[in-house]
Structures are given as C-alpha cells and as structure tokens.
Amino acid sequence: MVVLKTSTPPVPSGNKVNNGFPYSNGAIKPHFTPSLNSFINLDQGDPEVFAPYWRKKSEECTVVIKGSDLMSYMSDMTNVCWFMLPELRDAIRRLHHVVGNASAGMDKHIVVGTGSTQLFQAALFALSRSSDPSNHNPINVVAAAPYYSEYQDEVEVLRSGLYRWGGDARVYDKNEEYIEVVTAPNNPCGSIRRAVAMARSEGDELGKLIHDFAYYWPQYTPITEEYDHDVMLFTFSKCTGHAGSRIGWAIVKDIEVARKMTRFIQMSSIGVSKESQIRVAKIIGVICDSYQKIGSSLQSDDLFFEHSKRMLRERWDKLRAVVDKSNIFSLDKYPKNYCNFTRQNSETYPAFAWIKCCGAIEDCESYLRSLKVYSRGGKRFGVDGKYARVSLLCRDEVFNEFLTRISNARLQV
C-alpha cells in the first residue's frame, strides 16, 4: 500500500472499476463473482492469485510519500540509468543474490523500465544497430514457436526501420543479422528454453540474444542455475504479482547497450515513476528480510516464494485431476529438477496452462469460448489452433469456476 500525503480528491464514481481492489479514496471495490451465464477471462495473466498474501503483509509494505518527495526527473546522475533510484538498484541486486537466478553483481548494469514491455523495445533499439554501417536493412527478430504472443505485435507496432519480425527461430535460415528472443520459462508452454537459431552454427556472429526471464522465479520453476547472459529482462509483475506498479528491469553486461536502452526510455517516457520504484524497493526488502529470518519465528507459508509456489502447485494438482478424466483436453508434463533456491527436487508450476484439445476440435480457443471461457489460441503463438493458453493466476472463485466448466465438458462419441 502507498500512502500519499497529498490532497488527492476522491475518485469520481464513474471511474470506479469492479475488480475487488481499493479505490484511491479507500473504499473497497467488490469482486466480480462468476455465474453460470457469465464469461470468465483467462486470456491475460493478471496475477491476482498473490493478493491474499500481500494483504497479510500490508502494513510491512506501507510506503509514505510526502507531497514534496520525488519531484525531480533525476535520481543518480553517476549511474548509466540516471532515473533509477539507488535503493531500487540495491534491492534488485539483493533479490537476485537471495534467489540465485541471475548474476547481478557490480560488474553488471541495471536499467529500469515501465514493465518489461518497454525494456523489450529498448533492447531491440539498442541491439538493432548493424555492425556494418552500409547495411540499412532492418534486423530480423525471431523467437522459437510457441513464442510469446505479443512479441510480433511489439516488434511491428512502431513499423521501425531498425528491426522487423522474422518469425519462428527454429526455421530461420537467412544469412542476415538477427536478434533471437529466448523466453525461459517459456510463455506459453512453461519449458526452459535455449537459443536455437544461434545454436545451429557455432560461432555465429550474426545473432544477438535477449533473454526474457519474466517467470524465472521459484514459484514457477526450479532455479537450476544463475544465468549470466548479455541482456536479461525481468518484471516485478510476475515476480510478486504487483502488475499495477509497472516496473521491470534489465541486467546488461555491455555498458554501451545499457546506455542505448536508457536513451530509448528517456525518449519514450523520460524515466520511470519514482513512486513505483520506492514501492518496489520496499516490497523486495520485505521479501529478502523474511528469508534472513528463517529458523526463527517464521513459518514456511510466511515466505513469499514458498506460499505462492504452494498455491500454484495446488492449482496444477486440481487442473491435472480434471484433465486426466477428460476426453477433450490434454496437458504437457514437466520433469522434476533440483532447485538451488529451495534445495530440493521440484516440479514446474507455470503461470499458464498450455492446453491441447483432442479429437476433431481444431480450434481450442473457440471451444473454450463456447464454455464461456476466454483464452488465447495457439495461432497467436505461432503454432496449431488445437492449443490454447489459459491463465492460472486468477482469483480462486474464477479458477474454481473454470474447473467446473471443463470438468462438465464431454465429447460426444
């Protein structure tokens, strides 16, 4: 919770949205409760599943911002990312040290952005400059299918002369410079990915990599190694569920790439909200402090990653039990791996279920819509329409209604 010590007028009733969260004037918005005739939206990965945990931590995460605070554009002019607050930079380094999922030491440069979407655009801008000054062709951006459905739109929306969408990295065969986006765990299917276009020719100097680690956190997947790639993207939305704060960060090796990314963000938004940065730094501090108290009075369910992992595991267990009895749907299985963070073997519990429809059903998204469930079809991810992505990050009542609807669905044989 952020307490603003300013004279903010109450939000007009016409601006209120019925989604179960507080208004800025302190009133509580009622939840939407699904009924038999209502549609449920599992298309987007809005991480409401973590809200109950943070309600319990409300006081610990409170930040007070005075009316005279944080007024300047500037934060730390000695840093490459001059609009990033030092306390956020230090909190990010601390978080990665605690979790062990990425190398974020003093030899790396951290660039903060308005979510990882802005950082993705900034990375494309920074990496798309050709090493050959005479080459004015846009660089190809590729990702292995099934790839995140928004990559193509994000590449094409600006109609940039610097880069263009190049399609599936698995079949990319042009003798031209390219940028490959590697998503691990992958969105939509949850698997851990490696570069595939570059792997086909060892020593390939035409390819550059962006690693999107939005879901590489202990609640979703075992932390098997501390990654140390050239450009790594993370987002607070999927780390803790605070999607509304709109904070992401990139860990970058090359200072010139970090400078170009910072320049892009400067040109597009003149920095990133300091109120959000302060809030994120505070919440990260609460998480890291809790892990230093292990062995004292804290139970495992008081620890964020353990709590959220348990919630996702319970959802996956329920979903698999329903799907196992279904003659319509199937799900991928994930291998167990040793997690360096939890120090035990663990399964993967992705934020999304990558569901496949069986038999004669060719369009899984349309079939789910007939059950009044919004999903995202496989063709958006560059694969067959028999697949659909379903978010598991919704509230309990929405998830339970989804289980009821798919458990009652049967193919006529």
Side-chain angles (χ1 to χ4, degrees), residues 12 52 98 115 128 140 148 156 167 179 191 235-236 239 242 311 344 349 372 393 396-397 401:
V98 168
S128 60
N140 294 295
Y148 176 45
E156 294 179 340
I179 299 170
S191 62
T235 171
F236 201 59
C239 174
H242 291 87
M311 295 182 71
Q344 56 188 234
Y349 304 107
K372 298 187 182 300
L393 299 180
D396 283 343
E397 55 265 42
E401 178 63 24

Side-chain angles (χ1 to χ4, degrees), residues 189-264:
C189 68
S191 62
I192 295 294
R193 291 288 187 83
R194 307 279 179 177
V196 295
M198 186 175 291
R200 287 198 295 269
S201 56
E202 190 173 346
D204 185 356
E205 296 182 358
L206 294 174
K208 302 173 184 179
L209 297 177
I210 298 172
H211 282 82
D212 185 345
F213 287 132
Y215 295 94
Y216 191 51
W217 298 102
Q219 68 266 47
Y220 305 112
T221 190
I223 303 302
T224 56
E225 60 182 290
E226 183 181 70
Y227 286 109
D228 188 21
H229 296 296
D230 290 343
V231 179
M232 300 183 287
L233 307 183
F234 294 88
T235 171
F236 201 59
S237 302
K238 302 308 184 289
C239 174
T240 68
H242 291 87
S245 293
R246 305 309 308 127
I247 291 289
W249 62 90
I251 303 173
V252 184
K253 284 186 179 181
D254 189 324
I255 191 171
E256 291 305 318
V257 173
R259 283 181 175 141
K260 290 176 181 176
M261 292 180 68
T262 300
R263 175 63 176 161
F264 179 91

Side-chain angles (χ1 to χ4, degrees), residues 107-174:
D107 58 330
K108 307 297 190 307
H109 307 282
I110 297 176
V111 180
V112 65
T114 305
S116 59
T117 299
Q118 186 183 39
L119 289 163
F120 178 61
Q121 292 279 7
L124 294 178
F125 171 79
L127 296 176
S128 60
R129 300 292 184 177
S130 173
S131 57
D132 180 3
S134 65
N135 182 9
H136 302 294
N137 292 326
I139 192 169
N140 294 295
V141 181
V142 299
Y147 43 72
Y148 176 45
S149 57
E150 298 300 306
Y151 285 152
Q152 181 173 356
D153 289 346
E154 289 170 14
V155 169
E156 294 179 340
V157 67
L158 297 179
R159 299 184 180 181
S160 172
L162 296 176
Y163 47 83
R164 64 190 173 197
W165 180 244
D168 188 350
R170 298 184 192 279
V171 297
Y172 182 77
D173 59 359
K174 295 181 180 179

